Amino acid sequence: MKNFMGMDGFIWFMGVVEDHNDPEQIGRVRVRCLGIHTEDKETLPTEDLPWAMIMMPTTSSSISQLGHSPSGLLKGSWVMGFFRDGEGCQEPVIMGSFHGYPVERPNTDLGFCDPSGTHPAEINEPDTSRLARGDKRSKLFVSKQENLSKDAHPSHPIAWGGTWDTMSIPYNARYPFNKVQQTESGHVIELDDTPNGERINIQHMSGSFIEMHPDGSIRILNKGVQEVLIEKDHNEHVKSNYNIYVGGKATIKAEDNIDIESTKDVRVKCVNFRVDASSVIDLNGGKEIDADAPIINLN
């Protein structure tokens, strides 16, 4: 028995992904291999290229819907692999992909490129994410600046004429410290180890993000509706000031008692102060006011 993988020769290849829409949905891609396949798509159309399996890392279990699904390869990705059927060259396996430095737009009439011409998105610069390179021309960084300048003012009003100040943007990434995962729609995850600029950023294509700053501060920008459903207790402990500003109406409803306690004054500023009590209003633990009174004067 010598005609099995590992005993019948090893043929490796470099190539370009031309299709990643696997009908079996197991992460396969079609790859045109240098020296094995022609660039003439009339002679060898993309749809006639063999499907290549992806060799996932050992950190991905790749079974029972667990691990990373699918791979991150896109049309236009340069990859390296081998043929598990040896000289038959019909069962490619991809081991990894390469960053490059594209200098011109591809000719989509030929093979060895993204047939749609979408990738590479930029030329005359590395394929490495601009966020990873500390390049503030990144569309994601510019989007964050625009969202903060539009939705967050230098200072925000609080009760009784006070304000709280907006935090500055802590992005100060330097290559090679910022590890970035970025998708084609615009989602991004940054794990930034830049000295004195360490951050974690999770950002949605809409502009919503959660960012942890070098000093441990956390900023959340929500571009849509926020809904939090809690099945059990919800406890918060704030060691300093706690400010809330609502641009619209604020309501609180409880099915049980609402208790408010302060070691100092409780101040309320409003136009009209209304209390709708079903029995009496109890002041100072004994002084009662008739709840049916149309107007309550506490002077």
Side-chain angles (χ1 to χ4, degrees):
M1 295 182 62
K2 57 183 179 180
N3 292 321
F4 62 91
M5 188 173 63
M7 294 295 290
D8 56 357
F10 183 82
I11 298 178
W12 62 275
F13 66 84
M14 290 184 62
V16 179
V17 175
E18 293 190 8
D19 186 4
H20 67 332
N21 190 15
D22 179 8
E24 298 293 334
Q25 299 183 345
I26 55 176
R28 300 176 303 171
V29 296
R30 284 189 170 114
V31 179
R32 192 176 298 268
C33 303
L34 292 168
I36 296 174
H37 301 138
T38 177
E39 68 175 4
D40 186 347
K41 291 200 289 188
E42 291 186 1
T43 302
L44 181 59
T46 298
E47 55 268 25
D48 289 342
L49 293 170
W51 286 105
M53 296 294 294
I54 308 297
M55 182 184 294
M56 302 298 288
T58 55
T59 52
S60 180
S61 49
S62 302
I63 193 172
S64 299
Q65 305 177 39
L66 303 175
H68 304 294
S69 302
S71 74
L73 296 177
L74 297 176
K75 292 182 288 185
S77 293
W78 281 83
V79 296
M80 179 178 177
F82 64 92
F83 293 99
R84 62 181 181 179
D85 60 340
E87 294 181 357
C89 297
Q90 295 302 305
E91 298 181 18
V93 176
I94 294 175
M95 297 185 291
S97 60
F98 298 90
H99 286 98
Y101 196 108
V103 295
E104 61 182 4
R105 296 291 180 190
N107 182 352
T108 56
D109 292 331
L110 301 176
F112 298 106
C113 69
D114 175 4
S116 70
T118 302
H119 302 288
E122 305 290 345
I123 60 173
N124 294 317
E125 66 174 275
D127 283 322
T128 313
S129 168
R130 286 178 174 178
L131 289 172
R133 292 185 277 126
D135 188 336
K136 293 185 178 181
R137 293 178 300 163
S138 166
K139 294 178 181 179
L140 295 169
F141 178 76
V142 171
S143 172
K144 177 178 288 186
Q145 282 187 310
E146 292 175 347
N147 285 325
L148 288 175
S149 63
K150 179 171 59 177
D151 298 328
H153 306 286
S155 61
H156 301 259
I158 61 175
W160 293 83
T163 60
W164 59 269
D165 295 331
T166 298
M167 293 184 288
S168 60
I169 298 177
Y171 176 82
N172 192 29
R174 299 202 317 269
Y175 183 86
F177 298 105
N178 195 13
K179 291 79 175 176
V180 178
Q181 182 177 354
Q182 188 170 322
T183 70
E184 55 267 42
S185 69
H187 306 317
V188 67
I189 298 176
E190 296 179 80
L191 301 176
D192 190 354
D193 291 322
T194 300
N196 301 316
E198 299 85 354
R199 300 171 304 117
I200 296 176
N201 179 46
I202 302 174
Q203 187 167 335
H204 184 265
M205 59 171 289
S206 66
S208 296
F209 66 83
I210 300 174
E211 186 170 46
M212 301 180 191
H213 293 199
D215 63 355
S217 299
I218 298 176
R219 168 189 273 147
I220 300 174
L221 176 64
N222 182 0
K223 297 292 291 181
V225 175
Q226 179 167 314
E227 183 175 274
V228 179
L229 304 177
I230 301 172
E231 294 293 332
K232 294 186 178 181
D233 293 348
H234 180 193
N235 302 308
E236 294 185 39
H237 180 189
V238 180
K239 291 187 176 181
S240 187
N241 298 328
Y242 186 19
N243 301 307
I244 300 176
Y245 172 77
V246 180
K249 183 179 180 180
T251 66
I252 299 175
K253 181 176 181 178
E255 299 298 334
D256 206 329
N257 293 343
I258 295 178
D259 299 321
I260 300 175
E261 178 181 346
S262 174
T263 58
K264 295 187 177 180
D265 295 343
V266 175
R267 300 186 298 170
V268 178
K269 180 186 292 187
C270 61
V271 177
N272 294 304
F273 186 82
R274 295 181 173 87
V275 177
D276 184 0
S278 59
S279 58
V280 297
I281 299 171
D282 185 350
L283 299 178
N284 297 325
K287 183 179 179 181
E288 295 183 354
I289 297 176
D290 185 356
D292 294 328
I295 298 177
I296 300 173
N297 188 344
L298 301 180
N299 292 328

